[in-house]
Amino acid sequence: METPTGIVSALITGCLVGLLGRLAVPARRRVPIGALMTVLIGLLGAALGLVVASGIDAGWFLTLLLQVAVAAVLVLLVSSAGGRGRR
């Protein structure tokens, strides 16, 4: 994989996984975060989910589910660290 292509595909994957992770978290539980934070959460979720999936020899669909689940947990962690929840 060439470096520019790898970077672009990683950013696209990060955006998609981050958005899916945000959608998986109920709206009342999440604090609004910016697009950059969504991409960062998506990249981290995709990487950690891939590590877990490769450890259990998962297929592509289970890998995607694990990546989104990790991103959703990260969204919850970032939202709780934000401290601006509704009362």
Side-chain angles (χ1 to χ4, degrees):
M1 184 181 308
E2 298 177 20
T3 302
T5 306
I7 292 171
V8 170
S9 64
L11 288 174
I12 291 170
T13 301
C15 288
L16 292 175
V17 170
L19 287 173
L20 291 173
R22 285 183 69 183
L23 289 175
V25 177
R28 67 181 188 283
R29 295 284 317 256
R30 64 179 181 240
V31 173
I33 57 175
L36 180 62
M37 185 58 76
T38 300
V39 172
L40 291 176
I41 288 172
L43 288 172
L44 189 57
L48 292 175
L50 185 61
V51 168
V52 172
S54 66
I56 61 172
D57 198 29
W60 70 269
F61 188 71
L62 184 57
T63 301
L64 179 63
L65 289 178
L66 286 169
Q67 290 173 331
V68 172
V70 170
V73 169
L74 291 173
V75 167
L76 278 174
L77 290 174
V78 169
S79 293
S80 65
R84 293 184 348 203
R86 295 180 188 169
R87 295 178 190 244

